Amino acid sequence: MPSSDTLFNSTKRVFAHYFHPFPLSIENNPPAKDYYNTQYLNKGGESNKWLKQGGYLRQRPLGVTPSSSPNWQQLNMEAEVRAAIARGITGFTFDSMAVSDATDSKSDLHLMLAAAQAVDSRFKIVIMPDMSALGADTNAVVQIIASVAGSPAAYHLSDGRLVVSPFDASLSSPAWWQNVISRLSAQGIQIALVPTFLGWSLSADAFAAISYGFSDWGSATVAGAGALEGDPDIVHSAYKKIFMMPVDPQQYRPKGFVYWEAGNSAALRGAWTDSIQGDADWIQLVTWNDLSESSTIEPVTDATLQRNIGTGFYNLTGYYASWFLTGQQPIITHDVLYYFYRREPTNAAASAQSQLAKVYSGVATNYIELVGCLTSPGVLKITIGGKTYTQNAAAGIVSFKIPSQPGIPLFTLSRGSSDVFSFHGGVQIYGPGGLPSAVEDLTYWSGSAAKSGICAL
């Protein structure tokens, strides 16, 4: 990784969408007994509220040791900020869903502002009023925005304007937003509106006059990422505005029985490449920690609390964020292998829930993927079910996929007649009969290793 000075001095920005209902710890309990393990990951948790879905979540944050400090919530947020900076993330877009965020100094929003300032004053928070939750409540939106305007951790442009990026901004009209802008201006608060749309081109003409730039929520598919590659240029040339590009690792929503086919790591890598080649101004990682959509860049685990099964998307982000921010493809200084795979096929049985998830976008695929970041050419190997599959790989980044099958895959990098290093994937793969829990899990679990060992955060 380049130095933090190099990354923060870039004219570009990498933000990660922060969804505050899923902090590192909900109630400061030991991880094995906390709310994630006993309720959200339990198919009978929250008094069977999510029984038909087999439980609310399939992922959780890595466990943290309970703190004796009364300020434990902010301390946990500070840890998240440090983790984000370590992988080239320069700020969070903070999803605000209630006016209490503005009126309570101990709200998650204001704790995050304090956390960012405490860790690194260059790490900025973009306020994102969530219009799907706030509706047309002008007073609430004005209050939320105004409450962060004086914070040094809130992202301001060089001319002093406060950056505001409302989620699903087109739920309210440009005239409605002009009223919000005017009311804030009357308080001495000038804003730079960068609305996040569910399809930016549908609203661009209407919002152009009041916007500093546009953002799109995107989709966690290879085709969805590719379709946006030329959009920064369109926004630059036709509208003279900046564009915040979405980068989404995966989307699997147990609560809604739906998923987007990300193709293992392909959607993430494709979105980063398209952002770099398309000359996007900013990135929004979708998301840092929305566990209900399984779209997390943040390192995650499951009820076992293993610390090496949800690190792949996080670690690989460092490579691409460095490239995006510096404009130079990073030099690979040592060999690293990353894996991405589901622990069962997409059509596996799940008798403990009412139905199976359906693919919303893309075509369902079932592969084991090994991604090599190689200093020189080598041979990638995946061994499973008593058989070894190989692929010759050039130096650089190479993806190798084989059909998914039951077992625990062994991943190997070889050169000449010798193995450089090997390691096993962190989760077992089951066949069409499904998981022993009889609950569906379509998460792409991920991890990585180098010759020095397996990454366990």
Side-chain angles (χ1 to χ4, degrees):
M1 294 292 295
S3 70
S4 60
D5 288 344
T6 297
L7 299 178
F8 279 116
N9 285 337
S10 172
T11 58
K12 297 180 181 289
R13 293 290 180 266
V14 176
F15 298 104
H17 182 90
Y18 190 88
F19 195 61
H20 68 93
F22 298 122
L24 290 183
S25 177
I26 294 172
E27 76 288 61
N28 201 32
N29 279 344
K33 299 180 180 179
D34 68 6
Y35 205 84
Y36 286 111
N37 262 27
T38 64
Q39 303 299 318
Y40 283 162
L41 294 175
N42 183 344
K43 58 189 174 186
E46 295 195 304
S47 301
N48 293 327
K49 180 179 180 181
W50 307 98
L51 188 62
K52 67 179 183 178
Q53 288 93 348
Y56 184 33
L57 305 180
R58 302 295 185 267
Q59 302 176 327
R60 59 156 296 156
L62 301 182
V64 293
T65 302
S67 172
S68 59
S69 170
N71 200 28
W72 61 270
Q73 291 168 297
Q74 181 179 322
L75 292 176
N76 284 346
M77 289 182 176
E78 290 178 15
E80 291 185 89
V81 171
R82 285 192 292 271
I85 292 172
R87 294 299 177 268
I89 297 168
T90 60
F92 286 147
T93 49
F94 190 99
D95 192 303
S96 178
M97 297 179 286
V99 72
S100 57
D101 283 339
T103 56
D104 183 354
S105 63
K106 294 298 183 181
S107 70
D108 289 344
L109 170 57
H110 288 275
L111 289 176
M112 179 56 77
L113 290 165
Q117 188 66 15
V119 172
D120 194 318
S121 61
R122 299 169 298 181
F123 188 91
K124 297 302 182 183
I125 307 302
V126 172
I127 185 62
M128 176 171 275
D130 191 326
M131 305 312 294
S132 66
L134 295 166
D137 189 341
T138 308
N139 291 335
V141 172
V142 169
Q143 274 189 278
I144 290 168
I145 296 172
S147 77
V148 308
S151 171
Y155 188 38
H156 293 78
L157 301 178
S158 58
D159 62 9
R161 284 181 291 169
L162 174 70
V163 176
V164 179
S165 183
F167 173 75
D168 207 356
S170 62
L171 288 176
S172 293
S173 69
W176 186 92
W177 280 107
Q178 182 59 63
N179 182 39
V180 168
I181 294 169
S182 297
R183 288 182 56 177
L184 289 165
S185 180
Q187 298 180 43
I189 301 168
Q190 308 302 320
I191 72 169
L193 190 69
V194 184
T196 295
F197 297 115
L198 306 183
W200 75 270
S201 61
L202 301 176
S203 302
D205 288 345
F207 277 78
I210 60 171
S211 298
Y212 175 73
F214 302 130
S215 174
D216 196 278
W217 190 245
S219 68
T221 64
V222 177
L228 290 170
E229 180 179 347
D231 290 1
D233 183 60
I234 296 172
V235 172
H236 295 159
S237 59
Y239 297 98
K240 313 301 181 187
K241 301 186 183 301
I242 66 103
F243 190 70
M244 181 160 67
M245 192 86 135
V247 172
D248 194 337
Q250 61 176 321
Q251 284 282 332
Y252 163 47
R253 304 177 184 181
K255 61 183 179 181
F257 302 105
V258 66
Y259 66 99
W260 284 244
E261 184 49 71
N264 305 76
S265 72
L268 176 88
R269 291 184 293 109
W272 270 116
T273 301
D274 293 335
S275 299
I276 293 165
Q277 294 178 346
D279 195 26
D281 302 277
W282 301 347
I283 295 291
Q284 180 170 213
L285 294 165
V286 181
T287 62
W288 174 252
N289 65 333
D290 190 347
L291 300 160
S292 68
E293 298 184 354
S294 308
S295 60
T296 51
I297 293 294
E298 172 192 50
V300 292
T301 185
D302 60 12
T304 68
L305 300 177
Q306 296 178 83
R307 302 181 72 83
N308 63 339
I309 62 173
T311 63
F313 290 116
Y314 170 75
N315 281 332
L316 200 52
T317 289
Y319 178 87
Y320 286 102
S322 299
W323 188 356
F324 175 77
L325 289 169
T326 65
Q328 299 294 321
Q329 186 169 3
I331 297 172
I332 298 174
T333 58
H334 60 287
D335 300 308
V336 183
L337 299 182
Y338 300 85
Y339 70 80
F340 302 87
Y341 63 86
R342 295 184 173 118
R343 61 177 83 206
E344 62 177 335
T346 53
N347 60 351
S351 59
Q353 59 191 68
S354 63
Q355 64 187 82
L356 296 180
K358 296 181 179 180
V359 63
Y360 181 87
S361 182
V363 178
T365 60
N366 295 289
Y367 291 104
I368 302 167
E369 182 185 32
L370 180 60
V371 174
C373 285
L374 307 183
T375 59
S376 62
V379 178
L380 301 179
K381 299 180 181 178
I382 303 174
T383 302
I384 191 168
K387 185 175 181 180
T388 297
Y389 305 82
T390 65
Q391 177 174 299
N392 293 328
I397 297 183
V398 180
S399 171
F400 174 34
K401 293 182 179 180
I402 67 168
S404 181
Q405 50 199 283
I408 299 177
L410 175 68
F411 303 111
T412 303
L413 170 64
S414 297
R415 290 195 177 97
S417 58
S418 301
D419 292 342
V420 180
F421 67 94
S422 296
F423 71 109
H424 282 95
V427 296
Q428 182 173 346
I429 303 173
Y430 293 86
L435 306 180
S437 64
V439 167
E440 187 177 43
D441 181 8
L442 298 186
T443 305
Y444 276 115
W445 294 96
S446 64
S448 60
K451 190 174 182 178
S452 57
I454 295 172
C455 176
L457 297 173

